[in-house]
Amino acid sequence: RLTAISAFVEWVSEVASFAEPIRVLVTGAAGQIAYSLLYSIAKGDVFGKDQPIILVLLDITPMLPVLDGVVMELQDCALPLLREVIPTDKVEVGFKDLDAAILVGSMPRKEGMERKDLLKANVAIFKTQGEALEKNAKKTVKVLVVGNPANTNCLIASKSAPSIPKENFSCLTRLDHNRARSQVAIRVGVPSDSVKNVIIWGNHSSTQYPDVHHAIVNNHGKEMSGFDAVNDESWLKGDFISTVQQRGAAVIKARKLSSAMSAAKAICDHMRDIWFGTPDGEWVSMGIYSTGNSYGVPNDLMYSFPVMIKNKTWKVVDGLAINDFSRGKMDGTAAELVEERDTALTFLGA
């Protein structure tokens, strides 16, 4: 038996040595989210244990000395799947021949800055990055936007890369999804993997709607609805929603820094599901292009829906019953996204 196992291990390592490396870009690569993210990508937690990686690390010029330190640490990890690390401040280098792009870097909101000023600064960044994707990346590239305002930044990037399918762009609401799942699990007293099919609708902002109307909880061996398992409707429609909506601000207040470890984990979850698909009967939340959806969400937004993924292609979970409470919440977050989009588009041609 030991001989068979060692032969299998040898075969896996041979497969890994012959597989073509994929090129994965992380922007904002000198920042704290990337610092929590890069090791997981490089060791095979995201794209597979037999998939060699070329990591491309993009950041602004003043951050290049910090980036050099990150490169040294990645080298010092001696990870067998990591074939090359390319640090750069040039978009034409960063976006060349990409298989996956994780766009973490964005302009953060500074004290006294109005939301429209934040949008204007980020439109310029994500227009440039979208154009770089259009010109340099593979047309099959999968693009995940993390930098906030993530939904609208994602929309601008996709509009600036018209020859890359809109379906290849998504933005991160998996962190919110994980937060919702965890809050229900803590309340019921079960592990987080006993909770599935929560939904984040809409914007990655304080208007998002964490929805448990279709969630299923394995409550100590008995499957039941999220509402029955929690058995506290006022909490589910009140404090639960506000806790998930405000969790990022609560982390900043406690740590004096924004979420990094949990954000990196969510990025890994999101990209791994794109690469390998979602389990049968389960869905996850992703910000995706809204045109053609069956839930009455306005077209031409990046809006978070429940999706199932197979063969690197997402499909919105259709046919879920939407009650009046949910409808109001879904419409409210859509209205914010329409306003963000319309403001951002005024800057796009500038």
Side-chain angles (χ1 to χ4, degrees), residues 169-171 286-290 301-305 307 314 316:
F169 288 83
S170 56
C171 71
M286 280 170 51
I288 54 169
Y289 196 56
S290 65
L301 300 173
M302 288 291 176
Y303 186 100
S304 184
F305 291 93
V307 300
W314 54 258
V316 173

Side-chain angles (χ1 to χ4, degrees), residues 208-224:
Q208 65 174 265
Y209 171 41
D211 179 6
V212 292
H213 285 92
H214 307 282
I216 296 168
V217 178
N218 185 328
N219 191 358
H220 305 288
K222 184 180 179 185
E223 281 214 339
M224 55 179 65

Side-chain angles (χ1 to χ4, degrees), residues 143 145 150-162 164-173 202 270 285-295 297-307 314-318 337 341 345:
V143 182
V145 176
N151 298 58
T152 300
N153 288 343
C154 187
L155 185 69
I156 296 303
S158 74
K159 285 182 177 296
S160 303
I164 297 173
K166 290 278 188 287
E167 294 75 22
N168 288 23
F169 288 83
S170 56
C171 71
L172 190 74
T173 55
H270 181 116
S285 303
M286 280 170 51
I288 54 169
Y289 196 56
S290 65
T291 296
N293 75 89
S294 64
Y295 288 106
V297 173
N299 289 337
D300 200 33
L301 300 173
M302 288 291 176
Y303 186 100
S304 184
F305 291 93
V307 300
W314 54 258
K315 185 177 183 302
V316 173
V317 178
D318 284 325
L337 279 170
R341 176 199 65 196
L345 290 178

Side-chain angles (χ1 to χ4, degrees), residues 126-333:
F126 284 86
K127 179 185 178 186
T128 298
Q129 294 189 351
E131 289 169 348
L133 282 163
E134 175 76 8
K135 188 175 176 184
N136 301 290
K138 294 177 180 176
K139 300 308 177 192
T140 53
V141 64
K142 299 296 185 184
V143 182
L144 167 58
V145 176
V146 179
N148 286 317
N151 298 58
T152 300
N153 288 343
C154 187
L155 185 69
I156 296 303
S158 74
K159 285 182 177 296
S160 303
S163 71
I164 297 173
K166 290 278 188 287
E167 294 75 22
N168 288 23
F169 288 83
S170 56
C171 71
L172 190 74
T173 55
R174 185 60 169 269
L175 177 52
D176 310 300
H177 181 99
N178 288 349
R179 286 165 170 164
R181 197 175 175 188
S182 176
Q183 287 299 309
V184 171
I186 291 166
R187 192 79 174 185
V188 178
V190 296
S192 58
D193 64 354
S194 294
V195 180
K196 63 183 182 182
N197 295 354
V198 299
I199 301 168
I200 303 297
W201 298 100
N203 200 1
H204 174 63
S205 76
S206 59
T207 68
Q208 65 174 265
Y209 171 41
D211 179 6
V212 292
H213 285 92
H214 307 282
I216 296 168
V217 178
N218 185 328
N219 191 358
H220 305 288
K222 184 180 179 185
E223 281 214 339
M224 55 179 65
S225 75
F227 268 76
D228 288 344
V230 171
N231 196 25
D232 187 343
E233 186 169 351
S234 65
W235 180 79
L236 282 171
K237 290 186 170 181
D239 286 351
F240 163 71
I241 292 173
S242 59
T243 296
V244 177
Q245 288 174 334
Q246 302 292 340
R247 189 67 160 188
V251 170
I252 290 172
K253 186 177 179 184
R255 284 191 76 227
K256 315 304 179 207
L257 292 166
S258 59
S259 307
M261 177 171 39
S262 55
K265 164 65 164 53
I267 292 165
C268 291
D269 291 346
H270 181 116
M271 290 304 290
R272 187 172 52 246
D273 283 346
I274 287 177
W275 236 250
F276 296 106
T278 47
D280 288 345
E282 291 188 35
W283 59 70
V284 293
S285 303
M286 280 170 51
I288 54 169
Y289 196 56
S290 65
T291 296
N293 75 89
S294 64
Y295 288 106
V297 173
N299 289 337
D300 200 33
L301 300 173
M302 288 291 176
Y303 186 100
S304 184
F305 291 93
V307 300
M308 291 179 172
I309 306 168
K310 191 174 183 181
N311 299 325
K312 296 185 183 173
T313 303
W314 54 258
K315 185 177 183 302
V316 173
V317 178
D318 284 325
L320 298 175
I322 304 298
N323 61 24
D324 290 344
F325 178 85
S326 294
R327 184 79 264 162
K329 298 285 188 186
M330 290 165 66
D331 289 349
T333 191

